[in-house]
Amino acid sequence: MATVSAPPPRRSRRRPRVERVPLWRRVRRVLLAACLFCLGVAALSWIPAVTGSRNLGITVASVEWLRSHGGNPIASQIENWYYELNEPEKGGPALTSLPQVGDGAAGSSEEEGEEGEEKLAYYEPPNVNPLIHPVLHGEGVWQKAGAKVGVKPPVLLTTFRSDPEYPQFVAGVAWMDKERTELAYVPGLAEPPEPLEDRGTGEVPPNMRKRLVATFNGGFPLETSNAGLIYRGKIKETMVNGIATVVGYHGGGFNIVRWNYGNTVPANVWFAKQNLPPIIYEGKLNPNLSDGPEWGETVNNATRVWRSGLGIDAHGNLMYAAANYQTVESLAKVLQRAGAVRAIELDINEDWTSFISYRHPGGSEPSNLLPEMFRSPERYLSPDERDFFAVYLKPGQPW
Amino acid sequence: MRPPRNVSPAAARRRSLLLDATLGILIGIVVLIAAAGIGVVGFLGLLGALVIVPWYLIEGGLRRRRR
């Protein structure tokens, strides 16, 4: 008799139940992995940039890093939104006083009595004609920047209210005598980014401080200005025709010109720093001051922000102006009112705008042109990221 | 050589995580190549992380509260 044996139990072919992750969760996970990967790679570049910045806070250093690594349009757009949200209101209560600048009125030297006749032989700029009345004490009146500088101060300072619609805005202006001073371009640690022999340490060289009378900020970084640079007689970044250019000559002379030499270095040029089109040329305001794209890949030209500019008067003396809440046009008007016949816009934003004068030789007792200037007056006596200009007494000139 | 088909649920979860992470890194590499600079890559990465990480945290918090 055949026996029927029971079939062996079938092995279950069912796979263990795997809980399926919904698609949207997987997409989210993929995106997170992509973001963390991007962050990790970027951190390899960001961390050294931020920790290596000598005199910048982490926020400013991060923005600078973003700008110099392809993110300039992003940084500029965010800046524009920020400034639009913080646009100042017109009007407001009138000011009753202006910030004190300098070391006494330009003509009030202790040596004046003895050298009064000699003084007449020198050119002294006329006081700035105030825009708003009644005029405040000292408004538009030139003051000596240094102490005990004699009858012929190399640097003069003044302040005035520059815009009747915004009577609380105060502009600071400095005047530098071409007969007594020379101008030097000092590269910063990170700007210009091009490799430079003799870059220096990003500060006023200690051996030059004996003759130091003033320092002030340079122009936009080359990446945002799309302009050129000549340093020590050599082209470091392609020069662009038609762009406003601060030119320093062999021997310390200076000028502001509309560049017209192409990508060549004229024989007597020691340095040339370009930045945007001239804002004043031949005594007239640039007619395109309200035209946005012409003014660089940075905050809008009509955005009210800290701005600075450098002009030259009809006698060839330098004039620096800076103020908060300026448009390109209002800054140009400040310089024009102060007497500039040609002018260039320099750097903008509170982090970069600095004019510092020194009360005594050796870089001693530095002070900002305006008390609201954000950066320390010691800024250029220690290594700085950005390039800047230093104004020295000519060799042999007494303090 | 083919990997085994029948794996434990934990192994399947790990596989899926590995696949998603690899895909994420590939997307990251594409962004790195296509972006104007490493600054843009970092900015986009930060923005994305600032959205997704809090999303995970909020979700985890809500789940714990429900238990």
Side-chain angles (χ1 to χ4, degrees), chain A residues 15 25-26 28-29 34 69-70, chain B residues 16 20 24 37 39-40 55 59:
Chain A
R15 290 182 191 169
R25 278 182 187 273
R26 291 196 66 180
R28 183 177 66 170
R29 204 155 71 179
H69 289 82
Chain B
S16 143
D20 291 352
V40 181
W55 188 358
E59 202 176 71

Side-chain angles (χ1 to χ4, degrees), chain B residues 11-60:
Chain B
R13 273 199 300 273
R14 280 194 289 272
R15 276 185 179 190
S16 143
L17 182 64
L18 179 66
L19 183 71
D20 291 352
T22 310
L23 202 58
I25 290 169
L26 284 176
I27 291 173
I29 291 170
V30 170
V31 171
L32 260 175
I33 294 165
I38 193 92
V40 181
V41 173
F43 182 77
L44 293 177
L46 183 66
L47 269 191
L50 283 176
V51 172
I52 299 172
V53 170
W55 188 358
Y56 268 105
L57 293 176
I58 290 167
E59 202 176 71

Side-chain angles (χ1 to χ4, degrees), chain A residues 193-216:
Chain A
E194 286 70 17
L196 300 177
E197 327 89 51
D198 312 315
R199 177 178 285 275
T201 54
E203 61 188 314
V204 178
N207 62 329
M208 294 296 289
R209 293 184 187 179
K210 204 166 52 181
R211 297 198 278 127
L212 181 67
V213 288
T215 43
F216 56 90

Side-chain angles (χ1 to χ4, degrees), chain A residues 368-388:
Chain A
N368 282 328
L369 173 60
L370 292 169
E372 299 83 22
M373 282 180 162
F374 176 72
R375 300 296 292 270
S376 159
E378 304 276 348
R379 179 177 178 188
Y380 296 123
L381 300 177
S382 56
D384 197 82
E385 301 294 303
R386 290 274 179 100
D387 51 355
F388 63 96

Side-chain angles (χ1 to χ4, degrees), chain A residues 40-344:
Chain A
V41 173
L44 295 176
S45 162
W46 174 76
I47 290 169
V50 170
T51 52
S53 296
R54 302 275 183 90
N55 57 357
L56 292 179
I58 189 167
T59 314
V60 179
S62 299
V63 173
E64 287 304 289
W65 170 82
L66 177 62
R67 279 191 192 285
S68 59
H69 289 82
N72 187 49
I74 297 172
S76 296
Q77 187 55 58
I78 293 171
E79 264 189 316
N80 271 317
W81 286 332
Y82 172 81
Y83 289 121
E84 276 168 21
L85 290 172
N86 292 285
E87 201 172 48
E89 208 176 337
K90 287 182 181 174
L95 291 180
T96 54
S97 65
L98 292 171
Q100 285 291 309
V101 293
D103 200 72
S108 65
S109 164
E110 49 273 31
E111 297 102 310
E112 193 180 10
E114 298 160 21
E115 299 177 31
E117 284 182 17
E118 189 186 352
K119 181 175 178 282
L120 293 174
Y122 290 116
Y123 172 74
E124 199 172 87
N127 286 336
V128 180
N129 192 11
L131 262 167
I132 300 177
H133 294 270
V135 174
L136 297 177
H137 176 70
E139 187 164 16
V141 178
W142 291 110
Q143 310 282 327
K144 297 175 294 182
K148 298 180 180 172
V149 287
V151 291
K152 184 65 182 136
V155 179
L156 299 174
L157 311 173
T158 191
T159 53
F160 67 100
R161 291 166 295 169
S162 57
D163 194 336
E165 286 194 327
Y166 297 90
Q168 295 193 309
F169 298 176
V170 176
V173 185
W175 177 90
M176 290 152 274
D177 187 348
K178 71 163 184 184
E179 302 294 339
R180 291 202 64 196
T181 62
E182 57 184 34
L183 185 68
Y185 170 79
V186 185
L189 293 176
E191 181 63 34
E194 286 70 17
L196 300 177
E197 327 89 51
D198 312 315
R199 177 178 285 275
T201 54
E203 61 188 314
V204 178
N207 62 329
M208 294 296 289
R209 293 184 187 179
K210 204 166 52 181
R211 297 198 278 127
L212 181 67
V213 288
T215 43
F216 56 90
N217 57 275
F220 291 1
L222 290 175
E223 196 174 342
T224 49
S225 68
N226 298 319
L229 173 72
I230 293 171
Y231 178 61
R232 297 192 172 220
K234 289 180 186 162
I235 291 178
K236 296 297 172 188
E237 185 69 40
T238 309
M239 298 295 285
V240 184
N241 277 345
I243 296 293
T245 309
V246 183
V247 181
Y249 300 103
H250 289 278
F254 46 75
N255 203 351
I256 293 173
V257 301
R258 181 184 272 161
W259 191 256
N260 206 19
Y261 305 98
N263 208 29
T264 57
V265 185
N268 54 345
V269 170
W270 181 237
F271 71 81
K273 166 83 177 167
Q274 297 194 305
N275 203 45
L276 312 174
I279 54 175
I280 304 174
Y281 199 72
E282 303 305 352
K284 291 181 185 143
L285 297 182
N286 184 326
N288 301 325
L289 289 175
S290 55
D291 176 18
E294 203 173 343
W295 303 100
E297 295 169 19
T298 179
V299 295
N300 196 305
N301 60 309
T303 303
R304 290 195 172 270
V305 62
W306 269 100
R307 290 183 191 266
S308 65
L310 188 67
I312 204 143
D313 70 11
H315 298 264
N317 303 293
L318 273 184
M319 310 192 89
Y320 173 97
N324 197 0
Y325 302 119
Q326 297 300 307
T327 63
V328 177
E329 187 171 3
S330 68
L331 174 75
K333 285 179 176 169
V334 168
L335 277 159
Q336 190 184 41
R337 189 155 202 90
V341 292
R342 293 188 297 283
I344 175 175

